[in-house]
Amino acid sequence: MSIHAYEYYHGAALNRIIDSGKSLEIMTFPSDSNSSITINKNIGVFFKYSQLRISPWRFTFKKEHQDELVQMKELHKKLFIVFICFDDGFACLEWSELKKILDYDHKEVEFVSIKRMRKEKYTVNGSDGKLKYKIGQNEFPKKIIESLI
């Protein structure tokens, strides 16, 4: 059985979470996307990856992905979306940050675009807006680990 690309990228992100040293119970979230996990029964994490080598990285959100995120939010105390930008790093958004760039009106296909200049933080734009601040690489997995406390 061959190894799928998402397994490499999601595995890299999971490794960062596991390396935190916290006691974790990680379970897959039941969906068709292969993109979602639950940590300690109350933290949802949704992974998106891009295989583009250079910035900007573009991530497509189909309507069913956004609907899955809403379902995850309803079932979890906190929800995080981890954008894996090829081998550059990770941009981690909380649910409230995602809703600033992708609103509750789920179209058939929407996008998130993330770019980073050398030695800078990530700039994040979406179909419905732009974050007014930048996201640091060091925020992942810090945001998730801090939510476990």
Side-chain angles (χ1 to χ4, degrees):
M1 179 183 215
S2 63
I3 300 171
H4 301 282
Y6 78 86
E7 293 175 302
Y8 285 110
Y9 293 104
H10 296 184
L14 280 169
N15 186 63
R16 294 275 175 103
I17 295 168
I18 292 168
D19 277 352
S20 70
K22 297 283 184 189
S23 178
L24 305 172
E25 178 186 350
I26 299 174
M27 301 171 59
T28 57
F29 183 79
S31 74
D32 294 331
S33 71
N34 295 319
S35 297
S36 309
I37 63 168
T38 297
I39 301 174
N40 294 358
K41 298 181 181 165
N42 63 1
I43 304 297
V45 181
F46 188 89
F47 299 108
K48 292 294 275 183
Y49 70 91
S50 174
Q51 292 181 298
L52 289 176
R53 293 184 182 276
I54 57 172
S55 169
W57 297 277
R58 237 172 122 87
F59 302 87
T60 302
F61 280 83
K62 296 179 182 176
K63 184 179 185 313
E64 57 263 27
H65 296 151
Q66 293 193 71
D67 292 344
E68 179 179 338
L69 286 166
V70 169
Q71 182 184 17
M72 289 182 74
K73 177 58 183 150
E74 291 171 355
L75 296 172
H76 295 88
K77 179 180 86 173
K78 288 271 198 168
L79 176 60
F80 298 92
I81 301 80
V82 177
F83 295 93
I84 306 161
C85 303
F86 190 61
D87 64 359
D88 184 76
F90 307 92
C92 182
L93 300 183
E94 293 184 40
W95 171 254
S96 60
E97 293 172 313
L98 182 72
K99 289 294 102 189
K100 292 176 184 175
I101 60 172
L102 293 179
D103 63 20
Y104 286 95
D105 180 21
H106 301 165
K107 295 170 186 66
E108 284 305 312
V109 178
E110 296 188 89
F111 75 91
V112 170
S113 178
I114 299 177
K115 65 182 177 180
R116 186 175 82 85
M117 300 301 287
R118 190 175 178 174
K119 297 184 180 182
E120 289 188 14
K121 295 179 178 183
Y122 292 110
T123 301
V124 182
N125 299 297
S127 296
D128 301 313
K130 176 181 180 177
L131 285 183
K132 295 179 180 176
Y133 50 89
K134 295 184 177 188
I135 302 292
Q137 287 183 307
N138 64 341
E139 293 181 38
F140 175 78
K142 183 179 177 183
K143 285 180 180 177
I144 295 170
I145 300 307
E146 287 177 351
S147 72
L148 295 171
I149 298 170

